[in-house]
Amino acid sequence: MNYVGIDIGSTASKVVVEGDKKEHFVLPTGWSSKETCEKIKNKLLEMGVDVTSDDTKVVATGYGRIAVDFADHVITEITCHARGGRELAGEDCSIIDVGGQDTKVIIVQNGMVSDFQMNDKCSAGTGKFLEIMANRLGVTINELFDMAAAGEVIPISSLCTVFAESEVINYIGEGKKREDIAAGVVDSVANKVVQLAQKKELGDRVILTGGLSHSIYFTGILSDKLDQKVESEEFGRFAGAYGAALLAREKKDKRR
């Protein structure tokens, strides 16, 4: 049997295969989740995983989960991220997930979601904000972090992405160093994430998932601001898809 977890995010779509095969990959979501699902289906078939087979079970999650018409189950992001995050941590934990269009804080106790908080009303504390600002500075997100690490924070006070971008444009016009602007951008996102996280009582173990989870620099900033260690996770980008694959297996096991 193969168990496939598909996390269709607003920016990137992550896929994890557990079972006879062990695979994972990421594709840009693009403008159409439906088209992305077809690409995922074909890529899996090239890997020897047929999503239409009785020997494959699929769970879909994420922003575009309804578009996965070949999924056996559709499960919410909170449940899948909690399952994947707990597996990555190896125990109960608090999960901070910074996604493309939202940020989530999930508290896992006794293996279950005990509480969560989401910010999906504004992009100012998300990966989309970083993407917009990186584009404005003419760099990739990874380059933005590298620049930020070499800079001094200058304040970006606007709570709105549009107004914050105007601040960045003004700083550029004033001749401020790109490194300092980058440091201000990353610090601004970290502040928004921390404000969300502080609304909940975090446990002793805190991990970062999502597209920024590999960044030691970003987790370091979060740790300083929360006065609590936030751990980076190399596989953290795949937490939702990983959780979905594990849930696909667990749902299969329950039917036996």
Side-chain angles (χ1 to χ4, degrees):
M1 289 292 298
N2 285 307
Y3 306 95
V4 181
I6 301 176
D7 179 8
I8 306 289
S10 60
T11 303
S13 296
K14 288 76 64 179
V15 180
V16 172
V17 182
E18 290 288 309
D20 295 335
K21 299 277 187 179
K22 295 279 187 182
E23 304 283 356
H24 67 275
F25 61 88
V26 59
L27 295 175
T29 297
W31 73 274
S32 169
S33 297
K34 200 74 173 174
E35 284 188 8
T36 303
C37 290
E38 280 303 305
K39 291 178 181 177
I40 289 171
K41 184 178 181 180
N42 293 334
K43 188 171 179 64
L44 284 169
L45 195 56
E46 291 172 5
M47 294 175 168
V49 180
D50 182 358
V51 296
T52 64
S53 167
D54 289 339
D55 291 331
T56 303
K57 296 302 175 186
V58 180
V59 166
T61 191
Y63 161 83
R65 58 187 180 272
I66 301 301
V68 188
D69 55 9
F70 51 83
D72 296 285
H73 303 281
V74 174
I75 301 178
T76 66
E77 294 171 78
I78 298 297
T79 300
C80 289
H81 275 81
R83 183 66 186 88
R86 178 168 66 88
E87 197 72 18
L88 291 174
E91 60 182 346
D92 287 350
C93 60
S94 297
I95 301 160
I96 298 175
D97 180 80
V98 181
Q101 75 166 5
D102 64 35
T103 297
K104 298 177 280 290
V105 177
I106 308 169
I107 312 299
V108 180
Q109 293 180 330
N110 299 318
M112 304 291 290
V113 177
S114 64
D115 202 0
F116 71 92
Q117 183 82 30
M118 287 186 69
N119 170 29
D120 58 0
K121 303 299 183 185
C122 175
S123 66
T126 67
K128 176 58 69 175
F129 180 87
L130 289 172
E131 182 183 325
I132 290 170
M133 298 308 171
N135 288 339
R136 177 57 64 182
L137 291 171
V139 296
T140 65
I141 290 181
N142 285 336
E143 290 169 339
L144 182 79
F145 280 125
D146 291 340
M147 286 168 53
E152 296 291 333
V153 172
I154 54 178
I156 295 176
S157 56
S158 296
L159 298 178
C160 170
T161 300
V162 175
F163 293 142
E165 187 176 13
S166 295
E167 283 190 70
V168 168
I169 292 169
N170 288 336
Y171 281 141
I172 294 171
E174 292 170 6
K176 300 289 188 184
K177 293 181 179 179
R178 284 204 306 171
E179 291 82 359
D180 295 348
I181 298 172
V185 166
V186 176
D187 188 73
S188 174
V189 171
N191 283 334
K192 305 294 190 307
V193 173
V194 166
Q195 287 169 14
L196 187 72
Q198 288 176 333
K199 292 180 179 179
K200 298 300 177 184
E201 187 174 339
L202 302 178
D204 295 333
R205 186 91 183 270
V206 182
I207 67 170
L208 181 68
T209 63
L212 307 180
S213 59
H214 66 285
S215 174
I216 302 297
Y217 174 68
F218 191 63
T219 52
I221 292 176
L222 293 180
S223 298
D224 289 342
K225 291 181 181 295
L226 282 170
D227 195 26
Q228 180 174 2
K229 184 180 180 182
V230 178
E231 300 175 30
S232 64
E233 281 289 342
E234 185 178 350
F235 202 60
R237 187 176 195 182
F238 293 90
Y242 186 34
L246 295 173
L247 288 167
R249 170 181 278 158
E250 288 161 13
K251 283 185 173 294
K252 172 69 174 177
D253 290 344
K254 285 180 181 178
R255 291 182 177 181
R256 290 179 180 175

